[in-house]
Amino acid sequence: MSNNRREVFSQGSNNQVWIEGTSLHPDSKVLLTITTSAGEETALITPTEVTQSQAKLFVEAPAERVEVKGKSTFMKLYGYLRVIGYSLAAVVIAFSVFSFTGTVKARIVLTGSMQPAINPGDIIITTPPSNKAPVEGDVIAYTARRFNGGEVGIFSHRIIGGSAETGFIVKGDSNKAPDVQKPMLNDINGVVIAIIPFVGNFLTRKALFLIVPTIIGLWLVIDAMKNAE
């Protein structure tokens, strides 16, 4: 081994680097930085010694490199937002098609009669009983009626007994007693096939009044930043 051979980094370092030879210029200096997944190591090399140091003490990243890095981070964020936006749009379009054809319907739950399985503000997705025959244990959305046949509203409760021929016995999970009405098959608007938690809370007029302008404003800001020089 040559007597002029020197180890650049200290023992125990993951970077094994040696230098060998003699500089033609006694005042010459070399700054060596190695960056790996384990971190960064820097050494200042002169004709007489090797000193462990930090690159930031000697050099500063050029402005164009900082700008490119910033743009790269922003473009990644912009890309993620675009994917999320297109995905949501695809879901909305698909659901609109299914809803238009009557395959599924969405309803916002307003009461806590089905807690803890279904909470106020949840959205339930239903499909007509012609697509899925209701059975015991299913949650159904049915038209509740008065004794004179007048409609009260849509109730979403669980089937705990009965049949399509005699009428289903239904009950809210948190209610103490079953419903008085025993809905027949033609009273059932749909059988619950999915639950989307909490989202219904954002679909009130007041919430939409705040959310829609915020989304539009955020999109405009992102688009302006994307096109900025």
Side-chain angles (χ1 to χ4, degrees):
M1 180 182 295
S2 171
N3 293 331
N4 290 330
R5 187 173 185 179
R6 292 178 290 171
E7 188 175 9
V8 175
F9 297 109
S10 59
Q11 293 184 354
S13 170
N14 293 325
N15 302 308
Q16 297 182 358
V17 180
W18 291 268
I19 58 172
E20 187 174 357
T22 303
S23 173
L24 298 177
H25 304 281
D27 295 330
S28 63
K29 294 181 177 64
V30 175
L31 185 67
L32 175 64
T33 298
I34 296 180
T35 303
T36 65
S37 58
E40 181 181 275
E41 287 190 290
T42 299
L44 178 64
I45 305 170
T46 69
T48 59
E49 62 180 351
V50 176
T51 305
Q52 306 298 308
S53 186
Q54 293 181 328
K56 65 181 181 180
L57 299 178
F58 298 91
V59 295
E60 184 175 346
E64 59 271 16
R65 287 183 58 190
V66 175
E67 183 179 354
V68 169
K69 183 178 180 181
K71 283 188 176 181
S72 175
T73 301
F74 172 76
M75 290 305 295
K76 286 182 180 179
L77 176 61
Y78 180 75
Y80 293 147
L81 290 176
R82 285 188 63 184
V83 171
I84 293 173
Y86 286 135
S87 299
L88 289 176
V91 170
V92 170
I93 292 173
F95 182 81
S96 299
V97 171
F98 287 129
S99 181
F100 180 77
T101 59
T103 305
V104 295
K105 294 289 184 183
R107 303 179 189 278
I108 299 176
V109 177
L110 302 177
T111 69
S113 63
M114 280 298 297
Q115 288 181 312
I118 304 174
N119 298 291
D122 291 353
I123 294 179
I124 56 173
I125 309 299
T126 64
T127 190
S130 57
N131 292 338
K132 183 183 187 304
V135 296
E136 186 172 341
D138 283 341
V139 177
I140 60 171
Y142 74 93
T143 301
R145 303 181 186 277
R146 297 185 177 89
F147 291 107
N148 61 5
E151 294 185 5
V152 176
I154 304 296
F155 288 2
S156 299
H157 287 167
R158 192 181 304 279
I159 297 175
I160 61 173
S163 66
E165 292 74 22
T166 61
F168 293 101
I169 302 174
V170 293
K171 173 182 173 296
D173 287 356
S174 61
N175 290 348
K176 294 182 179 180
D179 298 359
V180 175
Q181 180 181 341
K182 293 183 178 181
M184 305 297 290
L185 201 58
N186 59 354
D187 293 320
I188 298 176
N189 302 96
V191 181
V192 175
I193 57 174
I195 302 169
I196 304 176
F198 199 69
V199 176
N201 292 302
F202 297 105
L203 300 182
T204 63
R205 290 185 178 180
K206 183 181 293 186
L208 290 175
F209 182 77
L210 296 174
I211 292 173
V212 172
T214 300
I215 293 175
I216 294 174
L218 181 61
W219 181 262
L220 291 175
V221 169
I222 291 175
D223 191 59
M225 292 176 64
K226 172 178 173 289
N227 296 321
E229 294 296 336

